[in-house]
Amino acid sequence: MIGPAYPQDLSLLMEIERLCFRRDQFSPALYLSFLLSSDAEVYLYRQGDGAVGSLVLVFPPERDHCHLVSVAVHPDHRRRGIGREMMAFAEGRARAWDRSRIRLEVRKANAVARRLYEKLDYRASRVLRDYYGEGIDGVLYIKKLAPGDEE
């Protein structure tokens, strides 16, 4: 079940971060800044007493898009539809904020995530040279959201 994360959930968020990302992990301070921001939303995909996924969305003021900053699924729970469910949830939140687009960045080498985004009608907009460090390119993906088009 997807629900909001709170500052007291920081240890769950950091555990998912540690399991899902070898490099470029968010710091506890960065997560707290998202949790306390009026322009961001942080969610956990909870199962039992734990969490198997996390989602961070930012809604830049005076912009027409939602920035999907992070989506992560615990390695032991992948390929069960959780990522797809979290993406649909993110799109619903973007619509709730009256955003016409959702955008995200992903490592160019992350073929599994890129295939999922493309199946969900995200379009590669451009390559982001050295986005994740020297020699590690990213790809910007954008999806236009039709008003009232619920997944």
Side-chain angles (χ1 to χ4, degrees):
M1 170 181 212
I2 301 170
Y6 301 99
Q8 60 266 31
D9 295 318
L10 188 58
S11 63
L12 291 172
L13 291 163
M14 294 311 301
E15 178 66 8
I16 292 168
E17 192 75 10
R18 183 187 67 74
L19 291 167
C20 293
F21 303 107
R22 285 181 286 217
R23 297 184 206 122
D24 305 318
Q25 292 180 6
F26 288 176
S27 68
L30 182 57
Y31 258 118
L32 277 174
S33 72
F34 289 133
L35 287 163
L36 299 174
S37 171
S38 61
D39 297 325
E41 295 179 352
V42 181
Y43 294 93
L44 284 169
Y45 193 107
R46 297 177 190 268
Q47 282 189 347
D49 292 336
V52 298
S54 63
L55 179 67
V56 179
L57 305 170
V58 173
F59 302 91
E62 302 177 20
R63 298 277 179 92
D64 70 343
H65 72 270
C66 167
H67 184 185
L68 194 159
V69 176
S70 179
V71 59
V73 176
H74 186 295
D76 293 342
H77 295 270
R78 292 181 181 157
R79 298 206 173 276
R80 297 181 186 175
I82 293 171
R84 186 179 290 267
E85 187 177 341
M86 288 195 304
M87 294 299 292
F89 183 86
E91 292 171 18
R93 293 303 306 144
R95 287 184 188 91
W97 278 69
D98 292 323
R99 302 302 166 107
S100 63
R101 297 177 297 138
I102 190 166
R103 56 188 288 166
L104 61 90
E105 300 85 14
V106 64
R107 286 178 187 267
K108 188 176 180 184
N110 189 342
V112 172
R114 293 183 63 195
R115 273 194 304 276
L116 172 62
Y117 301 143
E118 290 167 7
K119 284 180 186 176
L120 297 175
D121 297 324
Y122 285 76
R123 300 291 175 241
S125 173
R126 69 178 190 265
V127 172
L128 305 167
R129 298 279 176 228
D130 300 326
Y131 188 78
Y132 292 98
E134 188 174 337
I136 307 170
D137 295 341
V139 179
L140 173 65
Y141 277 88
I142 298 173
K143 181 175 182 176
K144 293 181 181 177
L145 303 172
D149 179 26
E150 296 302 318
E151 296 285 318

